[in-house]
């Protein structure tokens, strides 16, 4: 993206070309990406938290959530993980009273429930010992002088359940995973507080699937910086998706690998850093990973990535052609409806496929399209005009 895109406006992108170029444009270009209006809904993470003074006022009204929803009103309640409707949930949780022999089946989040307090106690105890025994480097010690809110936040029930699901109930795996996740959150405290970073790629929240999970779209063609400089944006994209997620806390990733710039990603040290931190902070956050048009040349890239991924994560990855990706999107995402509170991610994702395969689209074209089809200003907020962010 780079600084040259700093002035891109969040509006319909149109360019003027000569007659010869226009003929080629007609022949090569899908038109859907030009015809899309602005997204109906926009999530703003900036300027949404209560100020210190507001938090001190007991009678100042209900607290705001850490993000504001614009254009579509509040999001309704959704069933818990693994269920499409509340009725379906109740048929599993509540046993049939007229059947004395019926046994109540556990919900997905209840499977490792007996391990939740054990994991909390173990992790809190280890951090206490680590602090008392001064087993901290200077960076961690400096961060913890300002308090340790991450420990309380990351030993909450929802996070403990998620880590246990990710580790499949293995305390031997769950404890170091959670210790590492908390350490990462402390080291990157400023990043997660300001929710801003340098934009190095088209990676954004583009809509929701039929289960109301947020969908992250990433275009490899748009990458402008080496992987090590892209890592903060990856973290913020998934952090935004996590805050927008429903009860199961999961999201979908659509990675469009057309024109992947392999030379920007062949950095094993950056991969190791990303895997060691991302894999624990966002453990069990992805429901499905769709990798589109993964070329033969990119196999070297996959060979580098694969060792850093758990077997559980590898099973969620689907390598598909553009044609199959389009079919997947049509089957798993919402299309246009009369209800403007429902996003149109089918059109948004398909138009993104179009523009990233358009030989005549410029980097400015593609980024302007990314801005106006994102439903959240993280992680692309740095390039928005100030009055559009808050």
């Amino acid at each position: 993206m780079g600084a040259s895109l700093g002035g891109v406006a969040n509006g319909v992108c149109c360019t003027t070309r000569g007659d010869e170029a226009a003929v080629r444009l007609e022949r090569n270009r899908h038109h859907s990406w030009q015809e899309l209006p602005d997204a109906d809904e926009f999530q703003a993470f900036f300027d949404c938290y209560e100020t210190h003074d507001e938090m001190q006022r007991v009678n100042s009204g209900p607290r705001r959530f850490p993000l504001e929803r614009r254009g579509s009103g509040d999001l309704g309640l959704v069933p818990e993980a693994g269920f499409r409707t509340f009725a379906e949930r109740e048929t599993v949780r509540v046993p049939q009273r007229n059947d004395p022999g019926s046994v109540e089946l556990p919900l997905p989040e209840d499977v490792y429930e007996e391990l939740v307090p054990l994991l909390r106690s173990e992790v809190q105890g280890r951090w206490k010992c680590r602090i008392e025994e001064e087993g901290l480097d200077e960076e961690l010690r400096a961060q913890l002088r300002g308090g340790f809110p991450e420990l309380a936040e990351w030993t909450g029930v929802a996070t403990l359940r998620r880590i246990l699901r990710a580790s499949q109930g293995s305390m031997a795996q769950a404890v170091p995973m959670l210790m590492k996740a908390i350490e990462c959150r402390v080291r990157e405290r400023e990043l997660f507080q300001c929710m801003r970073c340098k934009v190095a790629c088209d990676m954004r929240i583009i809509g929701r699937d039929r289960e109301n999970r947020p969908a992250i779209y990433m275009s490899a063609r748009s990458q402008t910086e080496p992987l090590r400089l892209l890592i903060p944006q990856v973290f913020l994209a998934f952090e935004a998706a996590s805050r927008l997620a429903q009860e199961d806390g999961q999201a979908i990733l659509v990675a469009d690998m057309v024109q992947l710039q392999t030379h920007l990603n062949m950095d094993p040290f950056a991969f190791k850093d990303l895997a060691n931190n991302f894999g624990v902070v966002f453990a069990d956050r992805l429901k499905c990973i769709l990798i589109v048009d993964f070329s033969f040349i990119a196999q070297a890239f996959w060979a580098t990535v694969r060792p850093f991924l758990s077997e559980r994560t590898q099973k969620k990855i689907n390598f598909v052609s553009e044609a199959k990706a389009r079919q997947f999107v049509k089957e798993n995402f919402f299309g246009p409806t009369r209800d403007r509170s429902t996003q149109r991610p089918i059109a948004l994702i398909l138009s993104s496929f179009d523009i990233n395969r358009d030989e005549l689209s410029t980097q400015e074209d593609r980024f302007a399209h990314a801005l106006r089809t994102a439903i959240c200003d993280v992680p692309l907020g740095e390039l928005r005009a100030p009055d559009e962010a808050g």
Side-chain angles (χ1 to χ4, degrees):
M1 305 287 130
S4 63
L5 295 180
V8 173
N10 185 19
V12 177
C13 114
C14 57
T15 56
T16 303
R17 298 182 172 89
D19 292 340
E20 181 180 350
V23 172
R24 284 187 288 132
L25 179 65
E26 178 69 21
R27 183 176 65 248
N28 296 333
R29 170 177 286 161
H30 296 286
H31 290 281
S32 64
W33 67 268
Q34 289 182 311
E35 297 167 357
L36 277 178
D38 289 346
D40 292 335
E41 173 186 350
F42 186 77
Q43 298 283 354
F45 280 87
F46 306 136
D47 305 322
C48 299
Y49 292 94
E50 294 173 323
T51 65
H52 179 74
D53 290 338
E54 287 175 326
M55 294 178 69
Q56 299 301 316
R57 298 184 196 135
V58 178
N59 299 320
S60 61
R63 294 193 60 181
R64 288 179 289 175
F65 291 99
L67 57 87
E68 293 176 345
R69 178 173 300 279
R70 298 186 177 184
S72 62
D74 293 332
L75 188 66
L77 294 174
V78 297
E80 293 176 328
F83 300 93
R84 296 187 178 183
T85 65
F86 284 109
E88 182 181 348
R89 178 193 187 284
E90 290 304 313
T91 60
V92 174
R93 179 180 280 281
V94 182
Q96 298 298 321
R97 299 301 179 186
N98 56 1
D99 182 4
S102 64
V103 178
E104 182 176 352
L105 299 176
L107 287 170
E109 70 270 23
D110 294 340
V111 174
Y112 306 114
E113 198 68 15
E114 72 280 359
L115 297 178
V116 167
L118 297 179
L119 179 57
R120 177 190 293 115
S121 176
E122 180 68 19
V123 169
Q124 290 177 340
R126 289 197 182 192
W127 270 108
K128 182 179 179 182
C129 291
R130 190 174 176 184
I131 294 171
E132 290 177 349
E133 296 172 4
E134 298 186 353
L136 306 173
D137 57 42
E138 186 55 39
E139 179 187 1
L140 271 178
R141 191 178 300 111
Q143 289 284 57
L144 293 182
R145 290 192 191 105
F148 198 0
E150 292 84 2
L151 183 61
E153 177 186 355
W154 280 71
T155 52
V157 173
T159 300
L160 295 170
R161 287 171 173 167
R162 177 168 61 85
I163 296 297
L164 286 166
R165 289 198 304 268
S167 62
Q168 297 181 305
S170 170
M171 288 289 288
Q173 294 181 31
V175 172
M177 281 178 63
L178 189 51
M179 291 289 292
K180 182 65 177 177
I182 294 172
E183 179 178 334
C184 177
R185 298 293 294 206
V186 173
R187 292 186 186 277
E188 301 295 337
R189 180 181 291 172
E190 287 76 14
L191 176 67
F192 290 113
Q193 286 179 343
C194 71
M195 296 293 282
R196 292 176 182 266
C197 69
K198 180 179 181 180
V199 176
C201 181
D202 169 12
M203 189 173 193
R204 64 194 188 276
I205 315 299
I206 200 170
R208 295 179 183 272
D209 71 354
R210 292 185 181 274
E211 302 298 325
N212 219 16
R213 299 186 188 94
I216 303 167
Y217 179 87
M218 188 277 287
S219 167
R221 180 182 181 182
S222 68
Q223 185 176 351
T224 60
E225 301 288 347
L227 178 62
R228 60 184 174 82
L229 299 181
L230 179 60
I231 291 176
Q233 187 176 349
V234 174
F235 271 84
L236 290 190
F238 278 86
E239 178 70 8
S242 299
R243 297 189 187 185
L244 293 173
Q246 302 308 300
E247 293 290 339
D248 62 3
Q250 293 189 318
I252 289 180
L253 173 63
V254 179
D256 191 353
M257 307 302 285
V258 67
Q259 297 191 32
L260 171 68
Q261 301 173 78
T262 310
H263 68 283
L264 293 176
N265 296 285
M266 298 305 292
D267 184 346
F269 297 102
F271 270 119
K272 184 176 181 180
D273 180 55
L274 178 60
N276 286 344
N277 293 288
F278 178 86
V280 293
V281 173
F282 298 104
D284 203 48
R285 285 297 194 193
L286 280 171
K287 179 68 175 180
C288 173
I289 305 170
L290 198 68
I291 300 184
V292 185
D293 278 354
F294 199 63
S295 68
F296 177 76
I297 298 177
Q299 294 302 316
F301 174 74
W302 170 240
T304 304
V305 176
R306 189 170 183 173
F308 297 107
L309 301 177
S310 67
E311 183 178 352
R312 178 184 174 89
T313 299
Q314 290 183 37
K315 290 179 179 178
K316 297 179 179 181
I317 298 176
N318 301 276
F319 293 92
V320 297
S321 64
E322 180 196 352
K324 289 188 176 181
R326 288 175 176 271
Q327 186 61 35
F328 175 90
V329 170
K330 291 175 181 177
E331 292 175 354
N332 292 277
F333 289 83
F334 287 112
T337 69
R338 294 181 180 179
D339 182 3
R340 291 181 61 82
S341 67
T342 302
Q343 280 297 319
R344 306 178 313 284
I346 289 181
L348 302 184
I349 296 175
L350 297 187
S351 69
S352 297
F353 288 158
D354 290 341
I355 192 171
N356 284 309
R357 286 159 181 76
D358 181 355
E359 297 176 4
L360 299 179
S361 67
T362 65
Q363 195 144 324
E364 287 77 12
D365 289 339
R366 294 190 293 275
F367 198 71
H369 176 271
L371 282 175
R372 63 191 178 90
T373 55
I375 67 166
C376 175
D377 61 357
V378 175
L380 304 183
E382 183 186 36
L383 298 185
R384 289 183 177 276
D387 61 343
E388 295 172 347

